[in-house]
Amino acid sequence: MPGTPAPARRSGLPSPLTIADMVRVAERPDFRRWLTQMEAVGGCTHPIYLAGRSVTFDRATGAVLHAYSTRDEPGERLAVRCGNRRTAVCPTCARLHSGDTYHLVRAGLAGGKGITSAVATHPRLFVTLTAPSFGRVHRAGGCHPYRSGTCDHGRPLGCGLEHEPTDPACGQPVCPDCYDYAGHALWHAAAGRLWNRWCDRVRRGLARAAGVPVSRFPEAARLSFAKVAEYQRRAAVHHHVVVRLDGPQGPADTPPAWATTDVLTQAVEDATRAASVPLPYSPAVGDRTVRFGPQMDAHPIRTGIEDGAVTDDAVAAYIAKYTSKSAGASGGADHRITTPGQIAAAAVTPHVRALMRACWRLGGLPEFAGLRLRAWIHTLGYRGHILTKSRAYSTTYGALRAERAEHRKGSLAGDKAQVTAAEWRFVGSGLTLGEQWFARSIRESRQNNRESATAARNLSENSYDP
């Protein structure tokens, strides 16, 4: 069909219902304009539709410079991106979100986007904070070959298999009955408070190094950070954190002489060992105190390209990659779960199902009501943001999106002699079966183009003239 994107990486044929709807969509008189809208949103899997108009005036004369209305659009509506950050839900919007995250994180490491490049000279660390062990799980490579005997449930304590990284067994408990699902769920529920305690402990350690009370630490220096939460194969969240130490006025202020990378590293290590959150006593699980796991890494961040070093570009790319992941990436769910029946019917691993059931069971206990475990079953009890940053770390998502919108507007953007009045209303969302096929073809064609461009760039960089 002329003018339509060719399918790429498609295995099999569309269903008869999809083919029938594809024909219906392609035969519409406004098909080409609809396809242009889909191209504009990158083949978004669940576009939002708006109806309305916008008018741009000359501020001085009141003359109309530009007018737009959805009246002449297909269905009298305009498609915009859904904006979902999860790759499993919308790969197009998730890729855009990851790109924004990369620039947000990198600006706090190397400058740009309104942040001075002097931050590259400040003490900076890339820190990984893990959850503690809740039981032995299968792992890639040599699993647990050096443990003999059986547990109380008659299962072997070890596993002599060599697991491939893609083996579904990786991350699953060696003995599900020994696994502490209650502790796992409660750790997720208290992870946000534990993070706050950790930040307080780091500031306390830095204040001690500065020789001032913690209440006066803001007068001595400023701690800035960006944190992303990642679900491991065992479905436990751990945190990747960029930590930066500035002068008291923020990024543009030179840190005091005592504020070194070694001092920051020591404060981070001490905080990881000391931070804890006691939970209310429960007859069902006893006394519980939530802490970080012992496997903590803290690496200085270097500037530029250095073999084997943790660099600002690498850290920004690493964190950006994980913002598009979700609980679904470790076998969880990407939608809310509100009943035990939905837990039983969820397409998840037995390990994740057991964790969901622990969230439901503990969420019904009055002593844990404040943790809202049942409301966050789909994220396995974790209710923190995937990405968190301090106010002074760098720019914001809102600022990045506004900058992109102004760039797309071209010459009309940022002109103080002009003013735009607009009114929009929500009129629907989603795609039909045939529309989904065309949108998927757009996404796959773009992915092919990106890979071809990458291959051509690599070939050019590696080529030479003998």
Side-chain angles (χ1 to χ4, degrees), residues 184-209:
H184 191 151
L186 291 171
W187 194 91
H188 274 177
R193 290 171 57 195
L194 182 61
W195 164 254
N196 290 335
R197 297 283 178 88
W198 184 86
C199 291
D200 290 341
R201 287 281 184 175
V202 173
R203 292 188 179 95
R204 187 174 301 178
L206 293 173
R208 186 164 52 249

Side-chain angles (χ1 to χ4, degrees), residues 115-238:
I115 303 298
T116 174
S117 60
V119 294
T121 65
H122 296 189
R124 304 170 303 162
L125 295 178
F126 182 50
V127 181
T128 299
L129 303 172
T130 64
S133 174
F134 305 107
R136 297 164 68 80
V137 298
H138 295 282
R139 59 194 182 193
C143 194
H144 296 286
Y146 304 111
R147 193 76 177 267
S148 61
T150 60
C151 68
D152 293 341
H153 307 98
R155 295 186 178 92
L157 293 174
C159 171
L161 298 178
E162 290 279 337
H163 296 294
E164 294 294 330
T166 57
D167 190 336
C170 292
Q172 306 302 301
V174 173
C175 176
D177 294 320
C178 289
Y179 195 85
D180 183 12
Y181 284 104
H184 191 151
L186 291 171
W187 194 91
H188 274 177
R193 290 171 57 195
L194 182 61
W195 164 254
N196 290 335
R197 297 283 178 88
W198 184 86
C199 291
D200 290 341
R201 287 281 184 175
V202 173
R203 292 188 179 95
R204 187 174 301 178
L206 293 173
R208 186 164 52 249
V212 299
V214 68
S215 60
R216 296 187 59 188
F217 174 69
E219 302 173 16
R222 185 163 191 165
L223 182 71
S224 293
F225 63 83
K227 169 182 73 73
V228 67
E230 180 209 356
Y231 285 87
Q232 297 172 293
R233 291 289 295 273
R234 59 178 175 141
V237 164
H238 66 179

Side-chain angles (χ1 to χ4, degrees), residues 336-343 360 374 377:
R336 288 192 177 274
I337 291 177
T338 57
T339 66
Q342 290 176 328
I343 297 176
W360 181 270
R374 289 189 175 181
I377 289 176

Side-chain angles (χ1 to χ4, degrees), residues 102 106 109-110 301-305 310-318:
Y102 172 83
R106 191 181 185 282
L109 292 173
I301 300 174
R302 310 299 182 190
T303 300
I305 301 175
V310 178
T311 64
D312 41 24
D313 285 344
V315 168
Y318 191 77

